[in-house]
Amino acid sequence: MTAMMKAAVFVEKGRIALVDKPIPDVGPNDALVRITTTTICGTDVHILKGEYPVAPGLTVGHEPVGVIEKLGSAVQGYQEGQRVIAGAICPNFNSYAAQDGYPSQDGSYLAARGLCGCHGYKATAGWRFGNLIDGTQAEYVLVPDAQANLAPIPDGLTDEQVLMCPDIMSTGFKGAENANIKIGDTVVVLAQGPIGLCATAGARLLGATTIIAVDGNDHRLGIARKMGADVTLNFRNVDVVDEVMKLTGGKGADSSIEALGTQATFAQAMKVLKPGGTLSSLGVYSEDLSIPLAQFAAGLGDHTIRTALCPGGKERMRRLMNVIAAQRLDLGVLVTHQRKLDEIVEAYDLFAHQRDGVLKIAIKP
């Protein structure tokens, strides 16, 4: 009989359920990883709400921490029983998109199924787990192109310490990297959820000296100060744009990072910028956006708007875990709750409704 596992799958809009699915077979370039810890992401909530489409029956989740159960015949340099993570983004690094510097947009593996042109470029296709292939909220996950995407966990680091690396830390840092931050810059980070908090930390590591964190939750703003924010603004109490202009002497911020994905935060991120500033967008948007005309200077303000899907691959993961191992940053504090995989439906309800001070939930099979 086929061996089975438990997996959380998307059923229909508003419904994710725990079901039994076959444990995947391992191809020559794959690795089967037994999940020891995973988590729920804001993007998973977009899937649950029907705001981001995935196929019914797909296992959701894209943040794996685990142990190699079985290796494909072509995968070298790893051992069964080894603790590993894999990025939420797991491209084929032989592709045109990856070699062009955009591995997150690699859809080359879809070409044989007629779902992508022969060139292999497809927006967001580097994000496979819980998007185009079965994801990580399960007892096992199959990691494709494993030699390029598996990263060994350094000795001494716990699951909770590295749980943010596959997506949240990588995405937040990418937001800071895309913001063109220079030493001495002023940066505004709008929304201090887990990704915004990591963007705040990334801005500090890149040399910004005035980091303004914006949120409507004082508890999160307190954590933002621990992550490196110099100033915190609760948008429920102050006019954020006016405050930023006061703090910058009317110049505006050098960069802004939008980490929520709404029209309101996108517009604020544009309004706080100086002429020539950079807006780094990390939000997952579910409707069309409009750009505030005056602050966009009718298109003549030398502004830069950059979007991002976080980088993947083992080298990205290695670097992020180095930051954790060197004690430059403690992201274990973002893991506020733990649940068993059997409790995944209740965990989604908790996370989607942001109750009980939740930031991230460690899900353990």
Side-chain angles (χ1 to χ4, degrees):
M1 294 179 62
T2 302
M4 305 294 285
M5 67 176 184
K6 295 178 181 178
V9 303
F10 173 76
V11 179
E12 60 188 359
K13 180 179 178 179
R15 186 178 170 211
I16 282 172
L18 192 65
V19 304
D20 290 329
K21 297 183 81 167
I23 296 175
D25 293 328
V26 178
N29 295 310
D30 303 329
L32 182 67
V33 171
R34 175 174 56 83
I35 296 294
T36 54
T37 309
T38 186
T39 188
I40 299 171
C41 178
T43 308
D44 299 324
V45 175
H46 284 289
I47 290 171
L48 172 64
K49 292 179 177 179
E51 296 170 347
Y52 186 93
V54 301
L58 186 78
T59 303
V60 286
H62 50 264
E63 296 159 278
V65 182
V67 175
I68 297 173
E69 185 79 7
K70 187 175 181 181
L71 285 169
S73 59
V75 182
Q76 299 179 0
Y78 299 88
Q79 298 177 357
E80 292 176 359
Q82 187 174 22
R83 293 179 67 225
V84 291
I85 64 172
I89 310 304
C90 46
N92 169 2
F93 283 89
N94 294 315
S95 68
Y96 285 105
Q99 294 191 21
D100 192 28
Y102 297 99
S104 300
Q105 315 304 331
D106 164 39
S108 60
Y109 60 95
L110 298 169
R113 288 186 272 160
L115 300 175
C116 184
C118 62
H119 49 73
Y121 288 82
K122 187 173 178 63
T124 78
W127 166 31
R128 297 199 226 183
F129 294 136
N131 180 24
L132 296 167
I133 65 173
D134 279 338
T136 65
Q137 291 169 20
E139 293 180 289
Y140 295 90
V141 68
L142 192 70
V143 179
D145 296 299
Q147 191 155 335
N149 288 300
L150 284 180
I153 299 172
D155 292 341
L157 294 185
T158 67
D159 282 16
E160 285 74 15
Q161 284 178 292
V162 301
L163 182 58
M164 299 302 107
C165 295
D167 179 8
I168 301 303
M169 183 182 183
S170 187
T171 300
F173 277 28
K174 182 61 174 175
E177 290 160 340
N178 272 3
N180 296 323
I181 294 170
K182 299 185 289 292
I183 293 171
D185 270 357
T186 295
V187 180
V188 180
V189 185
L190 294 114
Q192 294 297 303
I195 286 177
L197 289 167
C198 288
T200 295
R204 170 70 62 167
L205 289 170
L206 286 171
T209 50
T210 303
I211 300 169
I212 304 168
V214 180
D215 201 274
N217 183 305
D218 285 332
H219 175 65
R220 292 188 176 200
L221 290 172
I223 298 173
R225 283 197 173 271
K226 296 178 182 178
M227 293 290 131
D230 301 286
V231 178
T232 56
L233 301 177
N234 188 321
F235 64 77
R236 302 181 193 281
N237 302 330
V238 299
D239 184 304
V240 170
V241 178
D242 284 350
E243 289 298 314
V244 171
M245 291 304 164
K246 290 176 186 175
L247 289 165
T248 59
K251 182 190 77 169
D254 298 290
S255 305
S256 63
I257 302 172
E258 196 288 310
L260 183 60
T262 69
Q263 175 64 55
T265 48
F266 181 86
Q268 280 193 331
M270 191 76 237
K271 290 176 180 179
V272 298
L273 281 182
K274 71 178 185 183
T278 298
L279 190 164
S280 176
S281 170
L282 292 176
V284 179
Y285 303 97
S286 54
E287 58 186 10
D288 290 344
L289 293 172
S290 61
I291 297 175
L293 182 63
Q295 288 74 27
F296 195 53
L300 303 174
D302 276 327
H303 296 106
T304 299
I305 299 175
R306 297 187 69 181
T307 65
L309 180 59
C310 67
K314 61 187 179 185
E315 173 61 6
R316 176 71 169 185
M317 296 300 105
R318 182 191 70 82
R319 288 176 177 270
L320 296 178
M321 287 190 289
N322 276 356
V323 174
I324 303 298
Q327 299 183 2
R328 296 292 194 274
L329 188 61
D330 177 15
L331 295 179
V333 298
L334 301 187
V335 182
T336 55
H337 294 69
Q338 288 201 12
R339 293 291 186 274
K340 292 290 187 182
L341 182 61
D342 287 342
E343 302 170 301
I344 190 75
V345 174
E346 185 271 332
Y348 263 92
D349 186 70
L350 169 65
F351 186 75
H353 292 95
Q354 291 293 290
R355 296 195 308 271
D356 193 25
V358 66
L359 286 172
K360 294 290 282 185
I361 305 171
I363 305 293
K364 293 182 178 286

PDB file of all heavy atoms in Angstrom, residues 14 17 69 76 99 105 114 138 161 164 168 170 172 190 209 211 251 263 315 333 340 352:
ATOM      1  N   GLY A  14     -12.184  30.229   1.433  1.00  0.00           N
ATOM      2  CA  GLY A  14     -12.598  30.213   2.822  1.00  0.00           C
ATOM      3  C   GLY A  14     -12.399  28.888   3.533  1.00  0.00           C
ATOM      4  O   GLY A  14     -12.760  28.761   4.704  1.00  0.00           O
ATOM      5  N   ALA A  17      -8.300  22.427   4.694  1.00  0.00           N
ATOM      6  CA  ALA A  17      -8.616  21.236   5.485  1.00  0.00           C
ATOM      7  C   ALA A  17      -7.397  20.335   5.578  1.00  0.00           C
ATOM      8  O   ALA A  17      -6.528  20.319   4.687  1.00  0.00           O
ATOM      9  CB  ALA A  17      -9.783  20.474   4.859  1.00  0.00           C
ATOM     10  N   GLU A  69      14.795  12.999   4.439  1.00  0.00           N
ATOM     11  CA  GLU A  69      14.327  11.618   4.577  1.00  0.00           C
ATOM     12  C   GLU A  69      14.889  10.725   3.482  1.00  0.00           C
ATOM     13  O   GLU A  69      15.282   9.595   3.722  1.00  0.00           O
ATOM     14  CB  GLU A  69      12.798  11.595   4.537  1.00  0.00           C
ATOM     15  CG  GLU A  69      12.169  10.248   4.791  1.00  0.00           C
ATOM     16  CD  GLU A  69      12.104   9.868   6.261  1.00  0.00           C
ATOM     17  OE1 GLU A  69      12.443  10.721   7.112  1.00  0.00           O
ATOM     18  OE2 GLU A  69      11.721   8.720   6.552  1.00  0.00           O
ATOM     19  N   GLN A  76      24.008  15.422  -4.807  1.00  0.00           N
ATOM     20  CA  GLN A  76      25.287  15.159  -4.148  1.00  0.00           C
ATOM     21  C   GLN A  76      25.560  16.197  -3.065  1.00  0.00           C
ATOM     22  O   GLN A  76      25.070  17.327  -3.120  1.00  0.00           O
ATOM     23  CB  GLN A  76      26.420  15.183  -5.177  1.00  0.00           C
ATOM     24  CG  GLN A  76      26.275  14.138  -6.275  1.00  0.00           C
ATOM     25  CD  GLN A  76      27.400  14.206  -7.285  1.00  0.00           C
ATOM     26  OE1 GLN A  76      28.298  15.043  -7.175  1.00  0.00           O
ATOM     27  NE2 GLN A  76      27.362  13.330  -8.272  1.00  0.00           N
ATOM     28  N   GLN A  99      19.724  32.730 -14.755  1.00  0.00           N
ATOM     29  CA  GLN A  99      21.019  33.221 -15.214  1.00  0.00           C
ATOM     30  C   GLN A  99      20.964  34.691 -15.616  1.00  0.00           C
ATOM     31  O   GLN A  99      22.009  35.350 -15.710  1.00  0.00           O
ATOM     32  CB  GLN A  99      21.523  32.346 -16.363  1.00  0.00           C
ATOM     33  CG  GLN A  99      21.841  30.926 -15.902  1.00  0.00           C
ATOM     34  CD  GLN A  99      22.591  30.110 -16.935  1.00  0.00           C
ATOM     35  OE1 GLN A  99      23.224  30.644 -17.851  1.00  0.00           O
ATOM     36  NE2 GLN A  99      22.538  28.790 -16.793  1.00  0.00           N
ATOM     37  N   GLN A 105      11.558  34.454 -10.835  1.00  0.00           N
ATOM     38  CA  GLN A 105      10.592  34.483 -11.937  1.00  0.00           C
ATOM     39  C   GLN A 105      10.819  33.333 -12.921  1.00  0.00           C
ATOM     40  O   GLN A 105      10.387  33.389 -14.070  1.00  0.00           O
ATOM     41  CB  GLN A 105      10.683  35.830 -12.673  1.00  0.00           C
ATOM     42  CG  GLN A 105      10.751  37.042 -11.774  1.00  0.00           C
ATOM     43  CD  GLN A 105       9.590  37.143 -10.783  1.00  0.00           C
ATOM     44  OE1 GLN A 105       8.493  36.674 -11.065  1.00  0.00           O
ATOM     45  NE2 GLN A 105       9.828  37.748  -9.624  1.00  0.00           N
ATOM     46  N   GLY A 114       3.358  23.078 -21.330  1.00  0.00           N
ATOM     47  CA  GLY A 114       2.712  24.117 -22.107  1.00  0.00           C
ATOM     48  C   GLY A 114       2.208  25.280 -21.285  1.00  0.00           C
ATOM     49  O   GLY A 114       1.376  26.071 -21.742  1.00  0.00           O
ATOM     50  N   ALA A 138       2.629  20.015   5.928  1.00  0.00           N
ATOM     51  CA  ALA A 138       2.409  18.580   5.786  1.00  0.00           C
ATOM     52  C   ALA A 138       3.507  17.859   6.567  1.00  0.00           C
ATOM     53  O   ALA A 138       4.436  18.486   7.079  1.00  0.00           O
ATOM     54  CB  ALA A 138       2.457  18.172   4.308  1.00  0.00           C
ATOM     55  N   GLN A 161      14.729  29.440  15.364  1.00  0.00           N
ATOM     56  CA  GLN A 161      15.669  30.494  14.980  1.00  0.00           C
ATOM     57  C   GLN A 161      15.784  30.644  13.472  1.00  0.00           C
ATOM     58  O   GLN A 161      16.019  31.746  12.980  1.00  0.00           O
ATOM     59  CB  GLN A 161      17.056  30.217  15.582  1.00  0.00           C
ATOM     60  CG  GLN A 161      17.169  30.513  17.059  1.00  0.00           C
ATOM     61  CD  GLN A 161      18.550  30.169  17.586  1.00  0.00           C
ATOM     62  OE1 GLN A 161      18.930  29.004  17.658  1.00  0.00           O
ATOM     63  NE2 GLN A 161      19.311  31.189  17.953  1.00  0.00           N
ATOM     64  N   MET A 164      12.244  31.766  10.034  1.00  0.00           N
ATOM     65  CA  MET A 164      11.955  32.960   9.243  1.00  0.00           C
ATOM     66  C   MET A 164      12.792  33.030   7.957  1.00  0.00           C
ATOM     67  O   MET A 164      12.478  33.805   7.053  1.00  0.00           O
ATOM     68  CB  MET A 164      12.211  34.223  10.065  1.00  0.00           C
ATOM     69  CG  MET A 164      11.372  34.369  11.323  1.00  0.00           C
ATOM     70  SD  MET A 164       9.600  34.363  11.059  1.00  0.00           S
ATOM     71  CE  MET A 164       9.179  32.728  11.687  1.00  0.00           C
ATOM     72  N   ILE A 168      10.134  34.945   5.320  1.00  0.00           N
ATOM     73  CA  ILE A 168       9.901  36.221   5.987  1.00  0.00           C
ATOM     74  C   ILE A 168      11.165  37.065   6.059  1.00  0.00           C
ATOM     75  O   ILE A 168      11.169  38.247   5.691  1.00  0.00           O
ATOM     76  CB  ILE A 168       9.329  35.985   7.401  1.00  0.00           C
ATOM     77  CG1 ILE A 168       8.011  35.215   7.326  1.00  0.00           C
ATOM     78  CG2 ILE A 168       9.146  37.311   8.125  1.00  0.00           C
ATOM     79  CD1 ILE A 168       6.952  35.868   6.485  1.00  0.00           C
ATOM     80  N   SER A 170      13.975  36.579   4.300  1.00  0.00           N
ATOM     81  CA  SER A 170      14.459  36.804   2.941  1.00  0.00           C
ATOM     82  C   SER A 170      13.659  37.903   2.250  1.00  0.00           C
ATOM     83  O   SER A 170      14.223  38.787   1.593  1.00  0.00           O
ATOM     84  CB  SER A 170      14.377  35.503   2.136  1.00  0.00           C
ATOM     85  OG  SER A 170      14.976  35.656   0.874  1.00  0.00           O
ATOM     86  N   GLY A 172      11.740  40.338   3.750  1.00  0.00           N
ATOM     87  CA  GLY A 172      11.968  41.625   4.409  1.00  0.00           C
ATOM     88  C   GLY A 172      13.307  42.223   4.038  1.00  0.00           C
ATOM     89  O   GLY A 172      13.409  43.430   3.752  1.00  0.00           O
ATOM     90  N   LEU A 190       6.457  50.865   6.271  1.00  0.00           N
ATOM     91  CA  LEU A 190       5.025  50.888   6.543  1.00  0.00           C
ATOM     92  C   LEU A 190       4.499  49.473   6.729  1.00  0.00           C
ATOM     93  O   LEU A 190       4.594  48.647   5.818  1.00  0.00           O
ATOM     94  CB  LEU A 190       4.294  51.583   5.395  1.00  0.00           C
ATOM     95  CG  LEU A 190       4.642  53.066   5.291  1.00  0.00           C
ATOM     96  CD1 LEU A 190       5.384  53.360   4.001  1.00  0.00           C
ATOM     97  CD2 LEU A 190       3.408  53.935   5.399  1.00  0.00           C
ATOM     98  N   THR A 209      20.257  55.228   9.228  1.00  0.00           N
ATOM     99  CA  THR A 209      20.459  55.742  10.582  1.00  0.00           C
ATOM    100  C   THR A 209      19.203  56.358  11.183  1.00  0.00           C
ATOM    101  O   THR A 209      19.169  56.634  12.383  1.00  0.00           O
ATOM    102  CB  THR A 209      21.583  56.789  10.599  1.00  0.00           C
ATOM    103  OG1 THR A 209      21.345  57.748   9.565  1.00  0.00           O
ATOM    104  CG2 THR A 209      22.925  56.118  10.374  1.00  0.00           C
ATOM    105  N   ILE A 211      15.351  55.136  11.017  1.00  0.00           N
ATOM    106  CA  ILE A 211      14.365  54.188  10.527  1.00  0.00           C
ATOM    107  C   ILE A 211      13.048  54.491  11.229  1.00  0.00           C
ATOM    108  O   ILE A 211      12.964  54.462  12.459  1.00  0.00           O
ATOM    109  CB  ILE A 211      14.800  52.735  10.795  1.00  0.00           C
ATOM    110  CG1 ILE A 211      16.143  52.453  10.093  1.00  0.00           C
ATOM    111  CG2 ILE A 211      13.728  51.749  10.319  1.00  0.00           C
ATOM    112  CD1 ILE A 211      16.772  51.148  10.508  1.00  0.00           C
ATOM    113  N   LYS A 251      12.067  67.474   3.669  1.00  0.00           N
ATOM    114  CA  LYS A 251      12.692  66.835   2.502  1.00  0.00           C
ATOM    115  C   LYS A 251      11.951  65.584   2.069  1.00  0.00           C
ATOM    116  O   LYS A 251      11.761  65.323   0.881  1.00  0.00           O
ATOM    117  CB  LYS A 251      14.142  66.483   2.824  1.00  0.00           C
ATOM    118  CG  LYS A 251      14.905  65.854   1.644  1.00  0.00           C
ATOM    119  CD  LYS A 251      16.254  65.290   2.079  1.00  0.00           C
ATOM    120  CE  LYS A 251      16.112  63.961   2.796  1.00  0.00           C
ATOM    121  NZ  LYS A 251      17.408  63.268   3.002  1.00  0.00           N
ATOM    122  N   GLN A 263      -3.917  49.776  -0.934  1.00  0.00           N
ATOM    123  CA  GLN A 263      -3.830  51.078  -1.595  1.00  0.00           C
ATOM    124  C   GLN A 263      -3.393  52.166  -0.622  1.00  0.00           C
ATOM    125  O   GLN A 263      -2.577  53.025  -0.953  1.00  0.00           O
ATOM    126  CB  GLN A 263      -5.180  51.445  -2.205  1.00  0.00           C
ATOM    127  CG  GLN A 263      -5.243  52.837  -2.807  1.00  0.00           C
ATOM    128  CD  GLN A 263      -4.305  53.017  -3.990  1.00  0.00           C
ATOM    129  OE1 GLN A 263      -4.359  52.263  -4.942  1.00  0.00           O
ATOM    130  NE2 GLN A 263      -3.439  54.026  -3.923  1.00  0.00           N
ATOM    131  N   GLU A 315      22.385  29.463  -1.399  1.00  0.00           N
ATOM    132  CA  GLU A 315      23.327  30.519  -1.020  1.00  0.00           C
ATOM    133  C   GLU A 315      22.610  31.642  -0.276  1.00  0.00           C
ATOM    134  O   GLU A 315      23.122  32.174   0.706  1.00  0.00           O
ATOM    135  CB  GLU A 315      24.048  31.058  -2.259  1.00  0.00           C
ATOM    136  CG  GLU A 315      24.937  32.272  -2.015  1.00  0.00           C
ATOM    137  CD  GLU A 315      26.093  32.034  -1.039  1.00  0.00           C
ATOM    138  OE1 GLU A 315      26.310  30.877  -0.602  1.00  0.00           O
ATOM    139  OE2 GLU A 315      26.777  33.007  -0.705  1.00  0.00           O
ATOM    140  N   VAL A 333      12.032  35.673  18.316  1.00  0.00           N
ATOM    141  CA  VAL A 333      11.011  36.427  19.062  1.00  0.00           C
ATOM    142  C   VAL A 333       9.738  36.609  18.234  1.00  0.00           C
ATOM    143  O   VAL A 333       8.681  36.933  18.795  1.00  0.00           O
ATOM    144  CB  VAL A 333      11.545  37.804  19.503  1.00  0.00           C
ATOM    145  CG1 VAL A 333      12.727  37.643  20.439  1.00  0.00           C
ATOM    146  CG2 VAL A 333      11.930  38.669  18.296  1.00  0.00           C
ATOM    147  N   LYS A 340       0.143  22.119  16.715  1.00  0.00           N
ATOM    148  CA  LYS A 340       0.371  20.878  15.995  1.00  0.00           C
ATOM    149  C   LYS A 340      -0.260  20.967  14.601  1.00  0.00           C
ATOM    150  O   LYS A 340      -1.215  21.725  14.387  1.00  0.00           O
ATOM    151  CB  LYS A 340      -0.235  19.699  16.757  1.00  0.00           C
ATOM    152  CG  LYS A 340       0.455  19.378  18.076  1.00  0.00           C
ATOM    153  CD  LYS A 340       1.836  18.804  17.835  1.00  0.00           C
ATOM    154  CE  LYS A 340       2.480  18.303  19.119  1.00  0.00           C
ATOM    155  NZ  LYS A 340       3.851  17.787  18.878  1.00  0.00           N
ATOM    156  N   ALA A 352      -5.247  34.483  10.732  1.00  0.00           N
ATOM    157  CA  ALA A 352      -5.990  35.341   9.808  1.00  0.00           C
ATOM    158  C   ALA A 352      -6.693  36.482  10.536  1.00  0.00           C
ATOM    159  O   ALA A 352      -6.822  37.586   9.999  1.00  0.00           O
ATOM    160  CB  ALA A 352      -7.005  34.519   9.019  1.00  0.00           C
TER     161      ALA A 352
END
